[in-house]
Amino acid sequence: MEVKLHQLKIPLKTSFKTSYGEMDAKEFLLIELIDCDGIIAYGEVEAFARPDYTEETIETAYNIITTFLIPGLQNWQFTHPQDFREKFKWIRGNQMAKAGIEMALWDLYAKKKEVSLQELIGGTKQKVAVGVSLGIQENETALLNTIRRYVQKGYQRVKLKIQPGKDIRFIAAAREAFPNLTLMADANSAYKVSDIVLLKKLDQFNLAMIEQPFSEKDFIDHAELQKQIKTAICLDENLRSLEDVRQAHLLGSCKAINLKLARVGGYSEALDIINYCHQNNLLVWCGGMLEAGIGRAHNLLLASREEFVFPGDISASSRYFEEDIICEPFELIGDSLQVPKGFGIGVTLNNQVIKRFLKNTKTMVLR
Ligand code: OSB
Ligand code: MG
């Protein structure tokens, strides 16, 4: 088997601002596995350039992949992609590095079996209703204009990033202008327990949920806030595994789960989390990492499972990019995206676009 790690950097159409920082390009690793029969499979490593969302960066992921994961695949009698998680359990953390390789192995396995990856992971929907995540805007007018643009495109669920000073007034303005829109807020850990009084004011705006108000290590303060408000709290940064989801549930820290393949180390853990949420009445929905086409396709396949009833952060390719890296960019039809068909992941690389944004490729050969 041969593994190619492509380092890409694609400019975003507009910069994306959260409570922790601003991004104007999507930098990531594209994983290409080529097996002995010439079958090609794909994964995407979603770690960002800076360790500000989680601890991982592109560089740390590159290191874990080239030093441990790829060499660890040498001589491995790979029977099912589900075995990947157990084999590399000894590597602590580094979920995004693991997820990039694991999702490519699932694609490879599906292509070898000549089935769709969607079928393999239990997805059934042909199309998936999606939402959009909007970065923090300069002022309320800019925010309302931005929301309006996306609503006109068809999005019916809008997530607004918030931070101290750009919260209550922004959300109030959005709710007033769009009384029936499914709205939610995401703080990316920007608040402290002393902000509970302020956060409780968000309860009046009929938000679908409030995502990750407190620290990425905190379960206790989230539980306290959840006790005091009727709006569902959703956790994101905290949840790296099924065990984290279980703790959050048992402590009452949230009612909703933002599930990202990248953040939990891939499909095996994600599927266990979906089952747990389904059995325990937690709303599970698919989050996003400004994925390029390969990561976006993997997200969509996952979100095509019946358990996903709340629209995910899986917007059309054109939300972030002038051009996507796949030949079948995702386009909004109504409020939905079409799930790719065909063996494996169901999308193919647009080599012209890739060439334009490629910084480097490393090839590793396994025997
Ligand atoms: O908190 O969900 C988040 C993007 C980068 C890092 C964290 C988050 C996000 C988003 C955007 O909200 C989701 C997307 O559109 O891909
Ligand atoms: Mg979030």
Side-chain angles (χ1 to χ4, degrees):
M1 190 162 71
E2 206 172 284
V3 185
K4 292 187 175 173
L5 277 82
H6 305 288
Q7 269 179 276
L8 286 105
K9 181 173 183 174
I10 313 181
L12 299 180
K13 276 176 149 178
T14 55
S15 75
F16 186 74
K17 191 166 185 287
T18 64
S19 61
Y20 61 75
E22 196 161 354
M23 275 174 69
D24 49 25
K26 165 74 176 173
E27 286 185 71
F28 65 102
L29 301 174
L30 173 66
I31 305 293
E32 195 174 357
L33 301 181
I34 305 154
D35 86 341
C36 50
D37 302 320
I39 299 174
I40 307 178
Y42 305 108
E44 213 173 277
V45 179
E46 311 298 352
F48 295 128
R50 293 154 48 87
D52 49 9
Y53 166 70
T54 65
E55 304 84 346
E56 286 184 87
T57 68
I58 298 166
E59 297 288 325
T60 67
Y62 185 90
N63 179 265
I64 293 292
I65 289 169
T66 54
T67 312
F68 302 108
L69 293 175
I70 305 297
L73 294 178
Q74 188 105 330
N75 299 321
W76 183 38
Q77 295 312 314
F78 158 73
T79 49
H80 194 280
Q82 200 104 49
D83 303 338
F84 177 91
R85 177 174 49 168
E86 187 60 29
K87 181 169 178 60
F88 290 106
K89 203 170 65 177
W90 67 272
I91 301 179
R92 305 284 180 211
N94 295 284
Q95 283 86 352
M96 294 185 192
K98 290 178 180 174
I101 303 297
E102 199 241 26
M103 58 177 91
L105 287 172
W106 279 87
D107 182 25
L108 182 63
Y109 185 78
K111 283 170 173 162
K112 280 171 97 66
K113 292 248 168 218
E114 302 196 330
V115 297
S116 69
L117 179 51
Q118 182 189 26
E119 185 186 326
L120 203 60
I121 59 157
T124 52
K125 295 185 242 174
Q126 305 286 307
K127 58 176 193 153
V128 172
V130 298
V132 67
S133 174
L134 302 180
I136 296 170
Q137 306 290 313
E138 213 32 61
N139 52 48
E140 283 105 308
T141 310
L143 176 63
L144 297 188
N145 287 336
T146 306
I147 297 174
R148 193 167 302 114
R149 264 207 348 264
Y150 286 95
V151 168
Q152 277 166 1
K153 289 180 202 291
Y155 294 103
Q156 292 176 26
R157 192 237 72 189
V158 176
K159 176 163 117 181
L160 303 178
K161 295 287 185 178
I162 57 168
Q163 69 179 34
K166 290 189 165 182
D167 40 39
I168 308 295
R169 279 187 302 117
F170 280 53
I171 297 293
R175 178 47 85 212
E176 197 190 354
F178 301 93
N180 300 315
L181 188 62
T182 302
L183 272 179
M184 52 195 283
D186 186 357
N188 289 106
S189 303
Y191 295 87
K192 296 191 290 292
V193 69
S194 53
D195 297 316
I196 279 199
V197 175
L198 181 149
L199 291 167
K200 281 172 76 172
K201 293 187 184 148
L202 289 174
D203 220 9
Q204 62 186 298
F205 300 115
N206 188 28
L207 299 177
M209 62 190 83
I210 301 170
E211 199 172 314
Q212 196 74 41
F214 302 132
S215 131
E216 77 284 2
K217 294 262 194 301
D218 168 79
F219 290 101
I220 304 297
D221 296 343
H222 281 109
E224 184 55 37
L225 179 62
Q226 184 65 93
K227 249 190 275 172
Q228 297 191 33
I229 60 175
K230 60 178 196 302
T231 307
I233 291 178
C234 172
L235 290 181
D236 173 355
E237 281 89 332
N238 281 44
L239 309 175
R240 317 296 177 88
S241 64
L242 172 63
E243 187 52 30
D244 291 340
V245 173
R246 197 175 72 89
Q247 298 220 21
H249 174 60
L250 295 179
L251 290 169
S253 313
C254 65
K255 293 178 180 166
I257 302 293
N258 173 324
L259 180 59
K260 298 180 183 175
L261 280 170
R263 207 194 53 237
V264 303
Y267 281 106
S268 299
E269 197 74 10
L271 293 172
D272 286 350
I273 290 172
I274 294 167
N275 279 333
Y276 181 87
C277 289
H278 197 60
Q279 283 163 18
N280 291 282
N281 229 352
L282 286 165
L283 178 70
V284 63
W285 60 281
C286 185
M289 294 283 288
L290 301 92
E291 284 85 354
I294 294 299
R296 206 160 285 273
H298 279 294
N299 283 351
L300 204 56
L301 297 179
L302 186 72
S304 77
R305 286 181 57 111
E306 294 292 335
E307 295 91 342
F308 289 80
V309 294
F310 188 80
D313 284 344
I314 321 172
S315 37
S317 298
S318 62
R319 152 77 180 95
Y320 291 114
F321 311 111
E322 293 292 351
E323 292 172 294
D324 206 338
I325 60 165
I326 52 174
C327 296
E328 312 80 2
F330 293 105
E331 286 169 20
L332 209 60
I333 305 169
D335 68 344
S336 297
L337 300 181
Q338 205 82 36
V339 178
K341 292 188 200 315
F343 297 151
I345 189 175
V347 295
T348 56
L349 291 187
N350 184 331
N351 287 311
Q352 235 118 43
V353 174
I354 289 182
K355 222 179 283 166
R356 208 154 339 123
F357 300 117
L358 189 64
K359 286 175 34 177
N360 190 39
T361 295
K362 181 182 177 72
T363 304
M364 297 177 80
V365 181
L366 301 178
R367 42 181 63 256

